[in-house]
Every structure is written in structure tokens, then in C-alpha cells.
Amino acid sequence: MLAANPNSSFHTPLSRFKSSTSKKFRILSQFSPVNGIPPSKIFHLSSILAPNAVLRTPRTRKRRTRSSRGSRNLCNQFAIGASLAAEPDIQSDEALQQPFAPYSIKIPVGDRHILVETGHMGRQASGAVTVTDGETIIYTTVCLADVPSEPSDFFPLSVHYQERFSAAGRTSGGFFKREGKTKDHEVLICRLIDRPLRPTMLKGFYHETQILSWVLSYDGLHPPDSLAVTAAGIAVALSEVPNSKVIAGVRIGLIGDKFVVNPTMKEMEGSKLDLLLAGTDSAILMIEGYCDFLPEEKLLQAVEAGQNAVRDICKEVESLVKKCGKQKMLEAIKLPPPELYKHVEEIAGDELVEALQIKNKIPRRKALSSVEAKVLSILTEEGFVSKTGTAVTTETLPDLLEDEEEDEEVVVDGEVDEGDVHIKPIPKKSTPLLFSEVDVKLVFKEVSSKFLRRRIVEGGKRSDGRTPEELRSITSRCGLLPRAHGSALFTRGETQSLAVATLGDKQMAQRIDNLVDEDEFKRFYLQYTFPPSSVGEVGRAGAPSRREIGHGTLAERALEPILPSEDDFPYTIRVESTITESNGSSSMASVCGGCLALQDAGVPVKCSIAGIAMGMVLDTKEFGGDGTPLILSDITGGEDASGDMDFKVAGNDDGVTAFQMDIKVGGITLPVMRQALLQAREGRKHILAEMSKCFPPPAKRLSKYAPIIHVMKVKPDKVNLIIGSGGKKVKSIIEETGVESIDTQDNGIVKITAKDLSSLEKSKAIISNLTMVPTVGDIYRNCEIKSIAPYGVFVEISPGREGLCHISELSANWLAKAEDAVKVGDRIDVKLIEINEKGQLRLSRRALLPEPNPEKPSTNPIKASADSQKTLDKGKQKKTGQKKDVEVDDAELSEDKSLDVKVKTTAKSKPAEAITLVEDKFVKRLVSSGKDTSETEKSRAKKSTSKPVINISGNSENAVINGEAKIG
């Protein structure tokens, strides 16, 4: 690197160049980037390195012979750039930074238009657009680094998508009132943008490219995900990033029997299909969809409808690019030299063929690494690999002097005239072309992929010896983990998934914070984990990667259609899929293992589901085939990396539930997709047959460690009685009964989750009593007095339900205060005599007491109570051997406010001594006269046919006399 020196000067024969401005630009455009610096940046770098440099013109100018042309150093290129920048007719920086004029275009999509605008926002980005559908607006920018990064086999593209809460007129519900960590569904949309764009990027372009996308406005009707894919495709097409084709994305819904392009959110509620497709005007690049056992032919029709819509969008975007697009940076593409491919094939040819025939993944990987190291070592020893890591060629610049003036003198034997100094350079020796180590590795990978594809096409055998349609061996077992609610280990070849199912209540549900101001809870979710040990490597173990989130969602959506409804199975279901071994198709192994784990947990699934990954070799003619694409079933990791397609399909014999396709080439057509879908169906049938051989098989019953959930229905207006003030009541019920949780809903649904049946029954009884509907005339026995007030006592007629027994209703006689008759904790019998407009209960004890004896009036209620207690004690002493049955007619209780009691005693006993003071009145009524007795019995006989008879005992629990408590 040159140091900045204000006194330094660059000397170069400037008279070689003509004064024509166009000629200078044409010469400059031929410069290759030096250390990744494009020619347009040379002006600025030269002024920074030497701001006061003096450019001296030599006195004489002589033409060099062609043999004397060598490599230019960086200093000379800076000087050339500075001389061109000094010309007055060259466009200034201010002119170069003038923004494009705003431009907009309407593109028809389905039954409406989308508005695309550019030039009014993000004018300093390489490409920026806003795309509007309804009142949903997506703003997307594309920027790229000035300096290229190190060459790699992975295009340096990063995508970030964010949904601003302000787009829907709200803010984050968390503590920090700004958007933070990317949410899972935003990650999924990032992947939807990335996957179709990546195949269109040209190889050899290593400038880091970043796509940023924001939802600025959301109307709750037009979904932003498909719009974001289209916006990113347009922004890239307008930018300087060199890509092969314009891409666009659409969503396809199946509403009734009609395919709808970009349906609204309301329309999607009744759709049988959710398909998002992206592609170019001639091919499909990416599809991802979920459906409810849709047949393959119906899927193909949906893909065709989506492809037609994408084609129309791409044509409109191409016309926009012609007007507003920037020139692509094709000069920045740097590919490995063609000579390097020949060297690698010559050195590693035979050993590479043998290594690719090794069946097991780890030995094959080690063998390929050994061959790669050997190739690199040989090329280094022979002097073909640069030890500095930068490729150096014998001539770094193209011919720049072909159009120079013919009348200039020629310097003989390479002599250079630099003013007064004459320099005779040493004659150069011929040196071989040098390659960088990175180029060697890139070429080795491409050559390995080429050899693998040739083996599959020519030999008809894959690395593990299978034919293109053959699947790997499959084994599965359930009940692996004794304390888990459900577990399964699914193994297919060298790919293995340990799936665990856990059941819980609503508290285990996953809450989703979205743009719409509504709480959304997922009662089923699948979480996928891919540890580095699954491929025998050392790596980072931390938060889930974008790949893990994407694979987990695919497996989750594949299994969702087979789950029972919440009414039939009121559990929250969580499935964890941990990949313990991986050699391709791990997401589809999660589908198979997850299905078995659900069955082992006792979830009543509708049917079994299997998943399979399909691959492809598109151009078979290159390897001796007839040109027909070759479809591969159940691909491995190496076939995924070296192949042209990764097409995952999940479903059963009848149809498809989920599918996802990524293309590594320019795209595929519908006939190729049809062949892949039909071949995938045959593969699923084979996998389902192997899953049925699972040993041990799924338990198909709830584990004893799974919680018990009981669902009951109450009146919606009674829900608050269960919750209580600030949730105090529901918390007290949980603490008292020992249940895990009680979940209430506004519609009156109550879900009780418990570990055992006894605690569940206790909570059911309490909630039943709390939510019962009392009626006037109901009688409640043995009720506890909870508190005493100056105006009366509060009596608990059922757990959590209290009513007021006014002091005037406590006794048949006058009371100065309630404590004269009762105290807290006493148990009394009461009758419901009134329910006011607020739902408060008014109770009466006096209605159940005998009328005062007119012959023996009691002026002192306390003394009367004491006398009654003595009578009771005396009766208890004399009732040895007695037996009594008391029958009460509830109709008479409500009409006469009195009790008809029939007492059976022995001949020696006296009724007045056998029962309490309360019962004394009853006995008297029965024995007062035979006439009254016979009339009472006749009246009871008439009514006993329609009213229940209730037995009353001294130690009876709280009960509603007038029939059962009404729940809800």
C-alpha cells in the first residue's frame, strides 16, 4: 500500500493517450479491477493517496513494442485515473450522483393491480422500490459492497425482512417499544425472498449484496409475503447486481374450484391451498405450499396458474428496467481460469471416481478431502498455486495501446524513455499461470459434482449403490423415552430423527405477536434442531438458525392436517425433532418421526404422514444421456449439493399436505415437476409401509404422565365468578384442589388441567357450585356462616357462593344482634327467598324454623336456645335403639314454608324427646290429630309422583334441596 505523501509525484507517459474523452473512457473500461477496486473508484483513490501529486509529461514519446508490455503496478493505474479525472469534459461527481426521476408503473396481478414506484425513496441505494397492493406497502432496497469478498462457493447474499408494528397503527407489546429480534415468520419470509433470487445470481460475483425489506403499511387484507418477493426481484433487477433473469412471486389459493392469484386474507380463510410460487418468465424457481390432501394433478394446475401470473409480472418489470435500471457490474465477475479445470481433472480423475463410490458419508467425505489436499499440494509444488493467496497472471491488463498514433518512435529492446533517465529492464522469463488456493477448492468442488452426476447418468448408480428410484433402508421404533408423553426414533439410511411429543394445556401454547392487534396462539408447533454432531462436526450451538426455523415449519405444516380439532382433543401439542444423524432429507425424517411420536402420545391423528425429498440432474446429455431430466428419489446430502433440485413432498397415499422446492439452475418446467410429484407419491407409499412395521409400535393411548384435561360448559356470564377479583378465586381453587391450571374462555368454556383424577373432581365440584343457577325457594342444608355483620350474617351456600341472611331472618324471635344466636363457623339451614337485580342472594333461616309456641312464649331468645339445647341432650340420652326416617316434600316447602315430617319410632319412645327443637314442631303437627295427619299424607301422596323425595340427616353435606344444581 502506498503512503500518502504531498510531495510525491507519479511519472507516466501521458502522451500515449489521445485527447478524445470517449477514447479515454473506452480505454478505462477495459481495466480489470485491481484488488477488487473497480475502475470508477480509481479517481478517488488516487486523489487520496497523493492529493498534491504533480503529473509530468516526458519530453519524448516512443512507442513500445508489443513484446515489452508487462504488468502494470497499482501506482501507474492510479496515475492514469487521475489524469482522466483532470479532463474538464468528464462528468463530475455531482452529476454522477443525480438521482433518477421518480417513476411508477401499475402491473396487473389477478383481479387487481399492484403499484411499483422507484426513484422517490432510497436514491442512494443501488436499487430501491416500493410496491403497493391495496393499502399494504413494501419498501425494499438493494446495496452491494464496493470491495469484493473472498471467493467462495456461496454467493454473499443476505436478506432481512421486518414488519413494522406502526404499519398497522400499533406498537410492540413488549417492554421495549421497538422492533427487536427477527420473529420466526419474518425469518420464513426472508427465506422465501432468498431462495428464488440465489439461482439467478451469476457465478464469480463476490461483492456482498444485502436486501432490506420493510412493511411500511398493512391493511390486514393483502398479505405482504408474496409482495415482498416481487419487490426484492424488482429491486435487484434495477440495481447493479448482475443477475440472469427478473423474478416475481405470487400466492395461489383454491377457493371452491377456482384458483385465485394473490387472494386476500379473508379469501384465504376458505382456501384449501396455500401456495407461494416464484420464478422467471420462462421457468419456476421456488414453490412452497400447504394443503389438505390435495391430489398431485390439482397441485400442477395451481402451479400453472401461478407461473402464468409470474410471467405477466416479469414482462412488465423488464420494461421498467429498460427505463430505470442501472448498468450491471459484469466486469466484476471473476471466474477461475479454464486451465485450472484441466489440471484438477488430470490429477484427481481416477482417485475422485473411487472416492465417490464409497457408500458411507463420513469415509467418503474424508476420502474427498484427502484427494483435494493432494491436488492442492501437487499444484503448489509445480508452482501453479500462489502462496500469497492472490492469483497472479503474466499479464494483468489487456492491450491498451492498439489504437495509439503510428508516427511515434519505437523503443527498441524494451527501453523506456522517462524524461532524462533511460532504463533498460531485465529480460523476463516465461512463468506459468498462478492460481489462488480458493480457486483450486472451488474448481475441485465443481469437478467432484461433475463426476458424481456422470456416475449417476452413465452408470445408473448413485454413491451408495442405489438406482435413481430406490429409497434407503428404513427402521423406526416408539416408546424410546419412558417419561416422555410420546417418542419415536426414525432412521432412513444415515439420516435419523428423534421426535418427542409433549401434551399440555393452553399455557403451553405458543403466542404469536403479529401486525394485527389480536393475540394468536398456536396449539400445535414443531421445533427442529440440527446440532453439528449430527454430521460429525464441531460447530456453534446456540439460537436456532434460519434453516432450522424453515425446516421445522415445513414439518409442522405437513403434520397439521392430520391433527384432531381442539373440541375433540383439547391439548396443546409440541413436537421436538432432534436430528441425531444427517445425510440429507432431515426435514422429511422429522415428518415421519413426528407422526409416529404423535401416535405414541395418544393423539388421535386422522392418518399417517410420510415425507420424501426428490433431486434431479437436469442436463443429462452432457453426461451421455438423452437429455431428459433424471429424477432422483430420497436424495442424500451430496446429491442435494451436486444436483439441480431439492423438492420435498409430504402426504399420504391420497394426497399432499406440504411441499417445498428449491432450484439451483435456471428453473424447471411443469412436465418435470409432474414427473417428480408422481415419483414422490410412489416413494411415500413405500415409506408409509415401512412405518407400519415400527417396533415397538406406537402406544396410541395417553401416557400416565400426560395431564388430564376436562372441558365443561358454563353460562358466559358466570365466568367472572370462577375468575374472581384479580384472579383471586381461580388461584384459590388451584391451590385448594391441586390442579395445574384452570383456563376460562369468554364463551363459557372452562378447561381444567390436572395430574390426577381426584384433584380434577374437586375442582369440578367447586366450579359447578360456583356457576350453578339458584332459584327462589331452594333450601340449603348445613351451610357455614363465613362472617357476621351488624345487619346479619353471610352464609356460604356452596363453595364460593355466599348470601346474606338478615338479622330479622335468623330467628323467629327478635334479636338485638346476630351474635346472640350464632357465631362464625356455625352451620345452619337456610332458604333462598330473594335474588335482587344485582344477582345477590337473600337467605332466611327463620323460614325453616318452627313457629313460636303460643302457649309458652319465650321472651329471651338466648334462654330459649339454651332450653332447646338441653332438650336435644335429653333426647339423645333417651333415644337408644331408636330409628327415624325423615322425608321432605320440596313442593310443600316452597308453598307452605313448612315441613311435613314422618317419624318412625318405637312404641316406648316419645317424639318430642327424640328430635331437636326444630323437629319438635314437625312431630306435633303429625300427632296433633288423626284428621290432620291423614290429610297431610293424602296431599303428599298426590305430589310425590312429580317431586323428588329427599332424605335428610344430621350430618348431611351442602346440597340443593330443589333438585340438582343447575350448571351453566
Side-chain angles (χ1 to χ4, degrees), residues 22 230 439 496 628 727:
S22 60
T230 300
D439 284 341
Q496 189 177 73
T628 304

Side-chain angles (χ1 to χ4, degrees), residues 908-938:
K908 297 180 180 179
S909 62
K910 295 181 180 180
E913 298 175 350
I915 56 178
T916 63
L917 179 62
V918 177
E919 294 168 336
D920 187 31
K921 179 202 172 191
F922 306 156
V923 176
K924 287 180 180 179
R925 289 193 60 192
L926 286 171
V927 299
S928 60
S929 67
K931 184 178 178 180
D932 294 340
T933 304
S934 62
E935 289 178 358
T936 304
E937 290 177 350
K938 288 179 181 178

